[in-house]
Amino acid sequence: MSHNRSGLLAGLITGLLAALICAAALGAAILFQQRMPAAITTFGNGFPLLLAVSLAMAALVSFAISVVRPRSFVLIPVAAALSGGAVMAGQILGFSIMKGVGLRTPPGEQGPADLTVVTLDNFLTGLPYAPSLYQDVLAKTWTTWLCIAVATLAALILVTIRVLRVRRKQRAAAEAAQAEEKQAKEPEYRAPFEPAQAPTPKPTTDLFTPRNPAGD
C-alpha cells in the first residue's frame, strides 16, 4: 500500500504542524494567563479550563490528520503521541519563558507578561527548570498529567473512528467496483438452441386487408 493511498505521509505532516501550533498556543496561554479574566482562570481551580484546552488540542490534531482521509492504522498512535506531546511541549514552553522572565527581572519590576518577554534568551534561561515542573506536579497534584492523558486518549479515539470509517467506505467502493467489473465480463446467458438474435415478428393478418395475389 502506498503512502498516498494510506494517507500516512500527509497525516504525519499535517498532524505535526497542528501539534506545533497547539503547543505554541498553550505556551502563550500559560504565559499570558494573568491577562485572562479571573472568573475563567479561577473557576474550578482552573481545572475545567485546562481540560477544555486539552480536548481542543486533541480535536485540532485529530482534525488535521483526518482531513487527508487517513487509512493507515499507524496514524492512530501517532495522533495520540502528537496530542499528548503538544500538551507537554506547550507547558514546557510557557513555564520556561515565565521562569526565565522571573530570573532575569527584579521582583519589583515584574508585571503581567507581554510579547516582549517571548525571547529565546528567556526560554533558554528557564528551560533547565522545566523538569522540576513535572517533578513538583507529580508529587503534589495530578492535574497536569490528567490533561496529557485526556488529550492523548481523545486523539486516539477520534482518529481510530476516522480511520475505520475511511477503510469501510473504501472497502465498500472497491467491492462495488469489482462487482460491476465482474458483471460486465460475464457473457449474456442464452438457453440451448436459442438464436443470438430474435426473429423478426411477422405482421398479423387482417381479414379486411386485401390480399396480394402475387404473394399468395
Side-chain angles (χ1 to χ4, degrees):
M1 182 183 301
S2 63
H3 292 312
N4 293 332
R5 293 181 180 178
S6 65
L8 179 58
L9 181 59
L12 290 175
I13 295 174
T14 56
L16 180 59
L17 292 176
L20 293 176
I21 294 173
C22 290
L26 179 58
I30 294 173
L31 187 61
F32 301 119
Q33 58 183 326
Q34 294 180 357
R35 296 183 176 273
M36 297 181 181
I40 298 177
T41 57
T42 59
F43 177 73
N45 293 327
F47 175 73
L49 177 61
L50 293 175
L51 189 61
V53 170
S54 300
L55 289 174
M57 294 174 66
L60 181 59
V61 174
S62 302
F63 175 76
I65 294 178
S66 300
V67 166
V68 301
R69 295 180 58 83
R71 194 172 185 271
S72 174
F73 285 114
V74 177
L75 289 174
I76 297 176
V78 168
L82 287 176
S83 298
V87 175
M88 295 184 66
Q91 292 171 346
I92 292 174
L93 177 63
F95 175 80
S96 298
I97 296 178
M98 185 183 299
K99 187 68 175 179
V101 172
L103 293 175
R104 296 164 62 91
T105 305
E109 300 179 4
Q110 294 182 4
D114 53 22
L115 292 177
T116 60
V117 303
V118 183
T119 62
L120 182 61
D121 291 337
N122 288 332
F123 173 71
L124 296 178
T125 301
L127 184 59
Y129 299 90
S132 63
L133 168 68
Y134 292 99
Q135 293 176 1
D136 296 340
V137 167
L138 183 61
K140 298 178 182 179
T141 181
W142 41 265
T143 304
T144 301
W145 294 106
L146 180 61
C147 292
I148 296 173
V150 166
T152 303
L153 184 60
L156 184 71
I157 295 174
L158 291 175
V159 177
T160 299
I161 294 174
R162 179 60 175 168
V163 169
L164 292 178
R165 284 183 177 178
V166 171
R167 294 177 72 91
R168 189 181 303 115
K169 289 182 179 180
Q170 291 183 350
R171 188 184 304 111
E175 291 177 355
Q178 290 178 359
E180 292 180 359
E181 183 179 359
K182 182 179 179 181
Q183 185 177 3
K185 291 181 178 180
E186 289 181 353
E188 184 180 358
Y189 174 77
R190 292 197 304 267
F193 307 106
E194 180 182 354
Q197 184 177 2
T200 305
K202 295 182 178 181
T204 56
T205 318
D206 191 353
L207 297 177
F208 299 97
T209 301
R211 295 184 179 183
N212 185 3
D216 293 342

